[in-house]
Amino acid sequence: MRKIGVVGIGHVGATVAHLIVSQGLADALVLVDKNPDKLASEVLDFRDAASLLPQHVTVTAGTTADLGDADVVISALGHIDLIQPGGDRFTELRANTPEVQQVGTDLKHAGFQGVLIVISNPVDVMTGLYQQVTGLPTQQVFGTGTYLDTARLKRALGDALNIDPRSVSGYMLGEHGASQFAAWSTVRALGQTATELAATYQLDLAQIAADARDGGFTVFAGKKYTNFAIAHAAVALAQLVLSDARQEAIVSHYDHQFDSYISTPAIIGRGGIVGDFSLALTSAEQASLKQSAAAIAEKTAAYL
């Protein structure tokens, strides 16, 4: 039986749950939230939809104690209301830290041995904190990181070229935040490298990278939260775990080079991070990755 838990049923958590139910990705889905009235309402809403769906998913309200036997737990807790337009995800650090510590402790007490996927921001720091508190092996705890920012890069470049974003390959690396960067040496579309595309189509690569980096705040400015893209990112990663896909992805995971969590290449499968691989980055990109790791550490110290 495939069992998934979602902790934090706000805009993002509810959308994650909806995708899991609508796609039939679990047999049992347990929702956990500190607001019992909202939690009960969300569960009833899903139950009302049950007869209209092509597959059956048992959705229940629960606590972290009910997640001991879950295959995947997704942490969607957060305080996005603390962030201002154009701000920094580290604004959530102080508010999210005690909640992550509590959930992580509860998961440990419940005997959870599955894969923990973290959305909660600042995601690189929160993912590392979850791993420390739960005591799970590093490979079983990873965050969405720049998996979503990579999708935003594909959208921005696809728009510039007037092609489907799925026709674009390449990565955003580093922090899920201001110090992330487009690794242009990894980008390909229409049979050309990023440098060739820029010359052929007169592209402003710096602006495209900025659009990808700032895409979340652009969405946030209009509706005061983001939910669809990040929920799809988390659910797609959960599906890679459940199906033992062994697929490459850029996610926030423990990187021995930096002794911290940051978005670099990984292979995702049933055990979480089941392998990694190296990218042939330029010396400038390698320096940017190192600077991004330093920025995460510096901001963590400043906000705590």
Side-chain angles (χ1 to χ4, degrees):
M1 183 179 75
R2 301 164 300 165
K3 182 175 179 178
I4 300 177
V6 179
V7 180
I9 312 301
H11 294 298
V12 175
T15 307
V16 166
H18 174 254
L19 292 173
I20 292 169
V21 171
S22 62
Q23 296 177 22
L25 299 183
D27 300 299
L29 175 63
V30 180
L31 306 184
V32 179
D33 194 271
K34 61 185 179 182
N35 184 333
D37 293 334
K38 185 178 190 304
L39 182 60
S41 295
E42 295 287 7
V43 170
L44 181 58
D45 210 1
F46 281 122
R47 291 181 62 194
D48 285 343
S51 67
L52 307 172
L53 297 171
Q55 60 279 310
H56 175 78
V57 178
T58 300
V59 182
T60 59
T63 69
T64 315
D66 299 311
L67 303 180
D69 61 344
D71 299 292
V72 174
V73 169
I74 299 173
S75 171
L77 64 83
H79 293 82
I80 198 170
D81 54 296
L82 298 177
I83 300 179
Q84 298 299 314
D88 194 316
R89 296 173 178 89
F90 269 80
T91 306
E92 294 188 70
L93 180 61
R94 290 179 182 172
N96 287 349
T97 292
E99 295 189 11
V100 164
Q101 290 174 324
Q102 185 61 63
V103 171
T105 299
D106 292 344
L107 285 173
K108 183 176 182 178
H109 289 162
F112 174 68
Q113 292 297 317
V115 174
L116 177 56
I117 300 175
V118 184
I119 301 171
S120 307
N121 279 317
V123 70
D124 304 293
V125 180
M126 293 298 101
T127 306
L129 182 58
Y130 263 123
Q131 189 278 321
Q132 292 171 16
V133 176
T134 61
L136 288 167
T138 55
Q139 63 266 27
Q140 288 175 227
V141 185
F142 66 87
T144 48
T146 60
Y147 188 71
L148 172 55
D149 303 300
T150 293
R152 288 172 173 149
L153 176 66
K154 293 177 180 181
R155 182 265 304 161
L157 184 55
D159 286 349
L161 296 171
N162 195 29
I163 59 173
D164 190 304
R166 292 173 296 180
S167 299
V168 179
S169 63
Y171 301 111
M172 296 289 285
L173 300 179
E175 174 197 8
H176 177 53
S179 67
Q180 67 179 263
F181 64 97
W184 288 116
S185 67
T186 69
V187 175
R188 300 288 187 278
L190 302 176
Q192 298 184 41
T193 66
T195 301
E196 292 168 340
L197 289 167
T200 302
Y201 298 96
Q202 291 77 55
L203 303 180
D204 184 343
L205 295 184
Q207 183 57 55
I208 290 171
D211 288 348
R213 182 182 63 248
D214 301 332
F217 286 106
T218 303
V219 173
F220 178 86
K223 62 181 190 179
K224 308 309 177 188
Y225 61 91
T226 65
N227 62 318
F228 294 123
I230 184 58
H232 273 279
V235 171
L237 290 169
Q239 179 67 351
L240 295 184
V241 172
L242 292 170
S243 62
D244 194 21
R246 303 187 67 85
Q247 181 173 316
E248 67 179 64
I250 300 294
V251 295
S252 183
H253 69 291
Y254 182 75
D255 190 301
H256 292 277
Q257 178 184 356
F258 303 109
D259 190 27
S260 64
Y261 275 76
I262 190 170
S263 286
T264 51
I267 305 296
I268 309 296
R270 184 71 184 182
I273 307 297
V274 297
D276 54 26
F277 61 98
S278 298
L279 296 170
L281 301 177
T282 66
S283 57
E285 290 168 345
Q286 291 172 347
S288 293
L289 186 57
K290 184 176 180 179
Q291 291 168 2
S292 188
I296 294 171
E298 290 169 3
K299 286 194 285 187
T300 301
Y303 276 86
L304 286 178

